[in-house]
C-alpha cells in the first residue's frame, strides 16, 4: 500500500500481482509518519469551529480491527503527543469558550452499543437502570434516560473518561490484543448565550458526536469461532453491514433507507443523509495480509463520500421560549407524578399516554414495513 498525501490518494496492490493496482482518492490522506496532531488539525479542528457556530457535527472512525480506530479517537490520555481526537477536541472546545465573553455550558454523554444493547458508560453503577432504549420523537431518534453530565473543564471530562473507557467491552483476538467489541458514541453538547442588537438573549446550541466503531473482522482470521467471541463478531459485522446498506441506499437515492434495521444506523440517522455535518476517518493497515479488508474499507469510505447531507444550523432560542419548553416538560413530569400517586388505573399523564399510543402506531407501521422488506428479500434470495 502507498499513500500520496500531496494528491490525497491511496494505492493498494497485491505483491503477487503488482499490476493489479487499486487507487482511491479522498479529501485528506495521512501516511505512516503522520501524527495525532496532524490528524486533529486537518480534520477535526474545523469541525469544532462549526459546532461552536451552532451546527451538529459527527466524526466517526471505521476500519478493520487492529488498524488504529480507538487509538485515533482516544489515544493515550497520559501522553500529550499521543492524545487522540476526543481529548484534543475537549481541550480545544474549552480553550475557545475561554476566549468568548458570553455565558456557556458544556454537557457530555457517553454510551456503547454492545450486542445490540445500549449502555450508559457515565453511570457509576453499570447495573443502574439497565439497557437504554431508543425512542422516536418529534426531535428525531433519542436515547431514553441517557446521562447528560454538566462539566466545567477538560479535567472534569478526563475524570469521567477514565472510568468510562475502562467499562468498554474489549477482548483479545488473533488480530488485536485489545479489540473493541462495541461501538461507542461520545457526545459533547455546548450551549452558548448570544445577545441581539435589541438586547434580547438568544441560546445557541451545537453538538459534537465522536464515534468509535467496533472493527470489522474476518471470523476465521480473528479466531472468533465460538461462544461469546463468535456472537460478538456476528453482531459487529451485522451492524456494519446494515451501515453499509444505508450508505449505499443514500448514495443511490433509493426511496427506502433501512435505518431501522440496526440500532447503530438509527443512532447515526442524523449524521447519514440528515442535517449534521459528518466526517468519516477510515483506518487501514499497510500489511499485505490485510489486502481484501483494506480494499473493502477504502471502497466503503469512498462510497460514503457521495452521501449528500443537508446541514442546518440549530435554531437559536430566546430565553422566553426555552423557559416555556422547560415549563411544559416540568408540567408533564408533575402530571405523571400525580397519576402515580392517585393510582387511578393509568400510571402516567393522559397526554403522555396518548403520545405513547401514537408512537405505538408508528412503530407498528415500521414493523409491517420491515416484514414486507424481509419478505421481498427472501423472495430475491430464493430466486
Amino acid at each position: 500500500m502507498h499513500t500520496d498525501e500531496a494528491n490525497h490518494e491511496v494505492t493498494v496492490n497485491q505483491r503477487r500481482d503488482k499490476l493489479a493496482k487499486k487507487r482511491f482518492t479522498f479529501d485528506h490522506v495521512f501516511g505512516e509518519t503522520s501524527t495525532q496532531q496532524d490528524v486533529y488539525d486537518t480534520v477535526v479542528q474545523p469541525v469544532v469551529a462549526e459546532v461552536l457556530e451552532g451546527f451538529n457535527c459527527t466524526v466517526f472512525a471505521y476500519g478493520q480491527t487492529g488498524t488504529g480506530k480507538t487509538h485515533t479517537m482516544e489515544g493515550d490520555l497520559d501522553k500529550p503527543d499521543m492524545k487522540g481526537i476526543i481529548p484534543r477536541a475537549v481541550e480545544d472546545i474549552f480553550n475557545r469558550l475561554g476566549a468568548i465573553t458570553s455565558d456557556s455550558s458544556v454537557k457530555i454523554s457517553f454510551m456503547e452499543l454492545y450486542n445490540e444493547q445500549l449502555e450508559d458508560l457515565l453511570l457509576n453503577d453499570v447495573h443502574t437502570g439497565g439497557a437504554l432504549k431508543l425512542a422516536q420523537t418529534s426531535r428525531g431518534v433519542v436515547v431514553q434516560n441517557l446521562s447528560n453530565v454538566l462539566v466545567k473543564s477538560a479535567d472534569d471530562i478526563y475524570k469521567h473518561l477514565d472510568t468510562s473507557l475502562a467499562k468498554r467491552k474489549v477482548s483479545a483476538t488473533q488480530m488485536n490484543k485489545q479489540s473493541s467489541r462495541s461501538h461507542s458514541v461520545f457526545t459533547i453538547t455546548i450551549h452558548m448565550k448570544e445577545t441581539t442588537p435589541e438586547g434580547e438573549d438568544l441560546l445557541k446550541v451545537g453538538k459534537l458526536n465522536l464515534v468509535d466503531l467496533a472493527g470489522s473482522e474476518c471470523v476465521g482470521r480473528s479466531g472468533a469461532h465460538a461462544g461469546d467471541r463468535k456472537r460478538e463478531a456476528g453482531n459487529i459485522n451485522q451492524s456494519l453491514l446494515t451501515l453499509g446498506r444505508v450508505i449505499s441506499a443514500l448514495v443511490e437515492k433509493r426511496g427506502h433507507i433501512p435505518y431501522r434495521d440496526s440500532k447503530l444506523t438509527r443512532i447515526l440517522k442524523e449524521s447519514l443523509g440528515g442535517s449534521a455535518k459528518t466526517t468519516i476517518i477510515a483506518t487501514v493497515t499497510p500489511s499485505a495480509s490485510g489486502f481484501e479488508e483494506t480494499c473493502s474499507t477504502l471502497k466503503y469510505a469512498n462510497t460514503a463520500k457521495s452521501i449528500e447531507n443537508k446541514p442546518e444550523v440549530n435554531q437559536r432560542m430566546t430565553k422566553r421560549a426555552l423557559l416555556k419548553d422547560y415549563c411544559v416538560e416540568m408540567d408533564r413530569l408533575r402530571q405523571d407524578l400525580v397519576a402515580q400517586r392517585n393510582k387511578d388505573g393509568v400510571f402516567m399523564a393522559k397526554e403522555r399516554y396518548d403520545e405513547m399510543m401514537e408512537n405505538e402506531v408508528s412503530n407498528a407501521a415500521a414493523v409491517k414495513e420491515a416484514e414486507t422488506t424481509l419478505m421481498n428479500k427472501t423472495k430475491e434470495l430464493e430466486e
Side-chain angles (χ1 to χ4, degrees):
M1 185 181 74
H2 172 69
T3 55
D4 185 344
E5 297 183 43
N7 294 315
H8 310 307
E9 289 183 345
V10 179
T11 304
V12 186
N13 63 276
Q14 288 180 300
R15 287 180 179 176
R16 56 179 176 271
D17 187 2
K18 293 185 178 181
L19 297 177
K21 291 184 178 180
K22 296 185 179 182
R23 184 176 285 106
F24 302 88
T25 304
F26 299 97
D27 296 326
H28 301 286
V29 169
F30 299 95
E32 297 176 17
T33 59
S34 297
T35 65
Q36 296 275 53
Q37 188 70 51
D38 293 336
V39 175
Y40 183 81
D41 290 346
T42 305
V43 178
V44 188
Q45 197 171 62
V47 173
V48 170
E50 291 171 337
V51 171
L52 294 176
E53 287 300 317
F55 286 93
N56 291 344
C57 300
T58 298
V59 178
F60 67 84
Y62 170 82
Q64 178 192 3
T65 184
T67 54
K69 295 179 303 302
T70 301
H71 174 73
T72 301
M73 296 304 294
E74 300 172 7
D76 190 334
L77 299 179
D78 297 324
K79 298 178 181 179
D81 292 342
M82 301 304 289
K83 287 181 179 178
I85 288 172
I86 291 177
R88 290 178 190 274
V90 166
E91 293 175 3
D92 194 5
I93 286 171
F94 278 103
N95 287 338
R96 290 172 185 258
L97 290 177
I100 299 174
T101 56
S102 60
D103 294 336
S104 62
S105 67
V106 179
K107 290 184 177 181
I108 61 170
S109 66
F110 201 5
M111 62 181 171
E112 72 169 351
L113 177 59
Y114 174 69
N115 282 341
E116 282 299 293
Q117 294 292 319
L118 285 168
E119 295 184 18
D120 192 338
L121 293 175
L122 290 180
L123 288 178
N124 292 327
D125 183 358
V126 295
H127 299 295
T128 303
L132 302 171
K133 295 183 179 180
L134 296 177
Q136 183 69 44
T137 69
S138 57
R139 295 176 295 165
V141 177
V142 298
V143 183
Q144 294 180 322
N145 302 320
L146 178 65
S147 301
N148 276 280
V149 180
L150 182 67
V151 289
K152 298 291 186 181
S153 65
D155 288 338
D156 278 356
I157 295 181
Y158 288 157
K159 291 176 183 177
H160 289 292
L161 284 177
D162 283 339
T163 55
S164 299
L165 294 176
K167 297 176 187 176
R168 279 201 69 187
K169 308 295 189 300
V170 297
S171 63
T173 70
Q174 292 178 9
M175 299 177 69
N176 186 1
K177 291 181 180 179
Q178 282 287 102
S179 176
S180 297
R181 314 310 291 169
S182 65
H183 310 296
S184 73
V185 182
F186 180 75
T187 301
I188 307 172
T189 305
I190 307 166
H191 293 78
M192 294 159 283
K193 189 182 79 172
E194 290 183 337
T195 304
T196 66
E198 293 76 23
E200 186 173 24
D201 289 338
L202 295 178
L203 186 68
K204 180 171 64 174
V205 182
K207 184 182 294 185
L208 176 61
N209 301 304
L210 299 171
V211 185
D212 179 15
L213 298 177
S216 59
E217 61 184 51
C218 171
V219 174
R221 290 183 58 204
S222 67
H225 292 294
D228 290 342
R229 297 291 82 80
K230 183 177 181 179
R231 182 162 57 93
E232 288 170 353
N235 283 322
I236 291 169
N237 289 338
Q238 182 62 40
S239 61
L240 293 176
L241 182 63
T242 303
L243 180 59
R245 292 207 311 273
V246 167
I247 290 174
S248 297
L250 288 168
V251 171
E252 296 169 12
K253 293 181 169 58
R254 298 179 200 162
H256 173 68
I257 312 298
Y259 291 116
R260 286 182 170 271
D261 290 0
S262 165
K263 288 183 179 178
L264 176 65
T265 48
R266 289 189 69 189
I267 292 169
L268 296 177
K269 183 176 181 180
E270 185 191 20
S271 305
L272 298 169
S275 59
K277 293 192 173 187
T278 302
T279 302
I280 298 176
I281 299 176
T283 59
V284 294
T285 173
S287 171
S289 61
F291 173 79
E292 291 182 1
E293 288 87 351
T294 295
C295 286
S296 176
T297 298
L298 294 174
K299 286 178 183 177
Y300 200 103
N302 205 50
T303 301
K305 272 179 55 184
S306 302
I307 294 177
E308 296 180 1
N309 282 17
K310 298 177 182 178
E312 296 177 0
V313 67
N314 292 318
Q315 183 179 3
R316 286 159 170 76
M317 297 182 66
T318 63
K319 185 185 292 184
R320 191 179 299 108
L322 182 64
L323 288 174
K324 183 179 179 181
D325 281 355
Y326 283 156
C327 287
V328 170
E329 183 61 25
M330 288 171 65
D331 190 49
R332 281 187 174 186
L333 294 173
R334 194 176 292 112
Q335 290 173 356
D336 286 348
L337 181 59
V338 170
Q340 287 277 7
R341 284 175 175 169
N342 292 340
K343 297 182 180 180
D344 54 4
V346 178
F347 299 107
M348 64 176 64
K350 178 72 165 53
E351 291 80 3
R352 186 65 64 84
Y353 176 78
D354 292 340
E355 181 182 334
M356 185 185 72
M357 294 308 296
E358 287 179 8
N359 286 335
E360 190 73 20
V361 172
S362 175
N363 290 338
V367 169
K368 188 173 182 180
E369 180 184 354
E371 288 175 345
T372 303
T373 302
L374 178 61
M375 189 182 301
N376 292 336
K377 291 291 184 183
T378 303
K379 288 181 180 178
E380 289 178 11
L381 181 61
E382 290 174 350
E383 290 173 0

